[in-house]
């Protein structure tokens, strides 16, 4: 079965997470992604957080599957020549260097356009071009703080809290992949290359739009009815941290289940939606609440919301999280067990769907990684092992027209 992006060649000049997450997604869908790495060391994540000595770390291999690797020293004339040839023959270059790094390397936008007027140059940045923090180095948690996520996460009586999800890194990579595909589609129409840039701050903020919504509501009326602070607490002039409250207008909370004393994840998330109120009452054995004026409407329930959740939690006391969800699903009540990474890794449904896949690696053998979260009716997404450092250097140089003697001399000169 052919892949949708077959025939698209991508120069992957990225490292760590945001850029590699982007290019890995495109590689899964059939693009020929050539990861350009520094001779001798490569992407820094090859050696970060190792669990097997002298083997590529899981950090690297879970972000660089389906790619090819070439080592290249662009400080040498030979290395620059190879990169120029790659640019002439490629469709996309993806980079996440600091501002001005490509220019200092001798590859300005103007020079890239001279080499290949159809090139898409895609960049991950910490902040948008022209931002007053443009020169600030940005990592995952920095982006979460700059994008508004941290200030609205955690508990109202505690400090801002960052998420375990990679909102700054992988999320930015997903946004950049959309930008690249859009630019390629535009090129199909007008034949022109262009620059595409995504900042980590902007990507986090894009996922925090409901909090920007809440800021405007708070400015207008002074309270937010779906937050636990209402009507029992006070609001300041900024969107508060809401604990585990639902962000969509329906009260929600994480509730204890049987075994919570020894299992840190023996909880479910329970949401009280208006149309589900009657089924909730039936499920938890409180049918009288359905017609009680203190509970009949969302507005009436809000002053009693803590009592309601306490009652539901008491009902959960003799049920495991799985038993509880299996009962509640029959009533069409929005809920989920809180799943640990260990439980997710062993989930048969996720294995069957390809969301979790077992992959073979040349150094470490079998390992688990994420598969494509996007499913297609007419395309299978196969995940293959990440490349060893420089594994495809000679292969790629041969494709660029270099003979064996020239390739050997380039190795000797430290160009590759």
């Amino acid at each position: 079965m052919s892949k949708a992006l077959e025939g698209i060649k991508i120069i992957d000049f990225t490292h760590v997470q945001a850029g590699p997450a982007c290019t890995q997604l495109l590689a899964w869908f059939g693009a020929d992604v050539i990861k350009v790495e520094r001779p001798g060391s490569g992407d820094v994540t090859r050696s970060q957080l190792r669990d097997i000595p002298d083997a590529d770390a899981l950090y690297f291999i879970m972000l660089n599957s389906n790619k090819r690797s070439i080592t290249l020293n662009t400080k040498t004339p030979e290395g620059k020549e190879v990169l120029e040839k790659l640019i002439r023959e490629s469709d996309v270059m993806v980079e996440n260097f600091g501002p001005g790094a490509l220019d200092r390397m001798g590859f300005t936008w103007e020079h890239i356009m001279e080499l290949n007027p159809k090139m898409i140059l895609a960049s991950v940045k910490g902040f948008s071009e022209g931002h007053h923090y443009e020169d600030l180095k940005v990592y995952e948690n920095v982006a979460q703080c700059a994008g508004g996520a941290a200030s609205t996460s955690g508990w109202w009586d505690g400090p801002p809290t960052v998420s375990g999800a990679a909102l700054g890194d992988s999320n930015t990579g997903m946004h950049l992949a959309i930008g690249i595909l859009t630019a390629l589609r535009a090129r199909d129409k007008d034949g022109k290359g262009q620059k595409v840039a995504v900042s980590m701050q902007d990507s986090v903020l894009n996922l925090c739009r409901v909090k920007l919504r809440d800021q405007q509501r708070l400015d207008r009326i002074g309270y937010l009815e779906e937050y636990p602070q209402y009507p029992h607490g006070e609001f300041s002039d900024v969107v508060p941290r809401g604990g585990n409250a639902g962000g969509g207008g329906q009260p929600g909370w994480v509730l204890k289940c049987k075994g919570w004393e020894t299992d840190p994840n023996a909880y479910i998330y329970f949401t009280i939606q208006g149309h589900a109120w009657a089924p909730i009452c039936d499920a938890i054995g409180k049918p009288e609440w359905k017609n009680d004026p203190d509970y009949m409407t969302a507005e009436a329930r809000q002053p009693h919301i803590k009592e309601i959740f306490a009652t539901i939690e008491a009902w959960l006391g003799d049920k495991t999280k799985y038993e509880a969800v299996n009962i509640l699903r029959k009533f069409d009540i929005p809920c989920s067990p809180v799943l640990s990474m260990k439980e997710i890794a062993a989930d048969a449904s996720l294995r069957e769907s390809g969301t979790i896949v077992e992959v073979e690696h040349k150094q470490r053998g079998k390992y688990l990684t994420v598969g494509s979260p996007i499913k297609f009716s007419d395309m299978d997404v196969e995940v293959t092992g990440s490349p060893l450092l420089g594994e495809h250097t000679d292969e790629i140089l041969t494709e660029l027209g270099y003979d064996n003697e020239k390739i050997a001399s380039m190795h000797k000169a430290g160009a590759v």
Side-chain angles (χ1 to χ4, degrees):
M1 184 182 295
S2 64
K3 301 288 178 66
L5 299 185
E6 281 183 3
I8 299 295
K9 183 175 287 188
I10 298 174
I11 304 169
D12 183 358
F13 240 137
T14 71
H15 53 283
V16 191
Q17 186 175 169
C22 166
T23 52
Q24 177 175 255
L25 189 73
L26 301 176
W28 284 344
F29 301 157
D32 179 13
V33 176
I34 299 172
K35 189 172 180 73
V36 180
E37 301 187 74
R38 185 182 296 111
S41 57
D43 190 319
V44 66
T45 59
R46 285 187 182 270
S47 59
Q48 280 188 343
L49 306 176
R50 273 185 172 139
D51 60 317
I52 298 177
D54 302 320
D56 287 337
L58 285 164
Y59 197 178
F60 176 85
I61 65 178
M62 293 177 72
L63 286 159
N64 291 282
S65 57
N66 295 56
K67 303 178 185 179
R68 298 195 288 168
S69 170
I70 181 174
T71 52
L72 199 59
N73 182 358
T74 58
K75 294 181 179 179
T76 66
E78 297 92 340
K80 279 187 168 62
E81 178 188 290
V82 172
L83 183 54
E84 287 187 345
K85 285 196 173 189
L86 274 173
I87 290 172
R88 288 192 181 97
E89 297 191 8
S90 299
D91 300 279
V92 182
M93 179 192 286
V94 189
E95 61 90 18
N96 61 347
F97 296 121
L102 271 182
D103 292 355
R104 293 190 294 273
M105 202 184 295
F107 289 88
T108 63
W109 172 241
E110 291 74 23
H111 184 43
I112 292 172
M113 284 290 94
E114 289 172 0
L115 295 170
N116 184 353
K118 293 186 175 183
M119 174 62 75
I120 307 298
L121 176 61
S123 301
V124 173
K125 300 301 177 189
F127 294 88
S128 292
E129 185 176 353
H131 192 281
H132 55 275
Y133 286 152
E134 182 180 7
D135 61 343
L136 193 64
K137 185 170 284 189
V138 177
Y139 295 113
E140 171 64 51
N141 291 348
V142 175
Q144 289 195 33
C145 291
S151 71
T152 56
S153 298
W155 300 94
W156 44 92
D157 57 353
T161 305
V162 296
S163 168
L167 305 180
D169 276 324
S170 284
N171 167 49
T172 301
M174 302 303 102
H175 279 83
L176 188 61
I178 294 168
I180 289 169
L181 295 174
T182 303
L184 286 170
R185 179 64 177 136
R187 193 184 68 177
D188 289 342
K189 295 181 177 181
D190 61 21
K192 298 177 182 178
Q194 63 175 303
K195 290 192 285 186
V196 178
V198 177
S199 88
M200 296 172 74
Q201 181 191 38
D202 294 356
S203 296
V204 172
L205 177 56
N206 192 39
L207 297 189
C208 291
R209 68 184 69 180
V210 296
K211 301 301 182 180
L212 184 59
R213 171 205 68 189
D214 292 346
Q215 184 62 56
Q216 294 171 89
R217 293 169 56 222
L218 183 64
D219 290 342
R220 184 173 296 276
I221 60 177
Y223 64 90
L224 298 169
E225 64 187 38
E226 74 277 22
Y227 281 65
Q229 292 89 329
Y230 175 84
H232 310 285
E234 296 182 357
F235 288 87
S236 71
D237 62 348
V238 299
V239 174
R241 291 180 270 285
N244 289 316
Q250 301 84 28
W253 207 249
V254 171
L255 302 176
K256 298 172 185 174
C257 294
K258 180 181 178 180
W260 67 270
E261 298 91 343
T262 55
D263 180 355
N265 294 298
Y267 293 80
I268 68 168
Y269 196 86
F270 192 103
T271 301
I272 299 176
Q273 285 189 318
H275 71 269
W277 177 243
I280 289 171
C281 295
D282 291 333
I284 66 172
K286 283 287 186 178
E288 67 273 17
W289 277 358
K290 288 189 287 186
N291 298 311
D292 188 324
D294 286 338
Y295 297 92
M296 286 175 60
T297 67
E299 185 177 4
R301 286 192 292 271
Q302 193 59 41
H304 309 287
I305 200 67
K306 292 183 180 180
E307 172 200 341
I308 292 169
F309 281 130
T311 302
I312 297 170
E313 195 167 68
W315 177 80
L316 292 166
D318 63 350
K319 302 170 185 66
T320 69
K321 60 187 179 184
Y322 297 111
E323 290 170 343
V325 169
N326 281 336
I327 294 170
L328 296 170
R329 68 198 292 193
K330 296 173 183 175
F331 291 86
D332 200 26
I333 296 169
C335 62
S336 172
V338 173
L339 298 176
S340 68
M341 283 297 115
K342 190 175 183 69
E343 289 168 312
I344 285 173
D347 191 308
S349 294
L350 295 178
R351 299 286 189 102
E352 187 175 339
S353 69
T355 300
I356 296 286
V357 293
E358 189 173 68
V359 180
E360 185 75 33
H361 186 265
K362 296 178 181 68
Q363 289 176 321
R364 63 185 302 130
K366 293 185 183 299
Y367 68 98
L368 286 184
T369 189
V370 295
S372 174
I374 305 168
K375 316 300 183 189
F376 302 89
S377 65
D378 200 31
M379 185 177 76
D380 292 330
V381 179
E382 179 188 8
V383 178
T384 61
S386 62
L388 302 179
L389 179 60
E391 179 180 348
H392 304 95
T393 297
D394 291 359
E395 175 182 287
I396 293 167
L397 291 175
T398 300
E399 292 172 1
L400 292 173
Y402 293 101
D403 59 27
N404 291 337
E405 183 178 349
K406 179 62 175 175
I407 292 173
S409 71
M410 292 173 75
H411 279 284
K412 188 174 181 180
V416 295

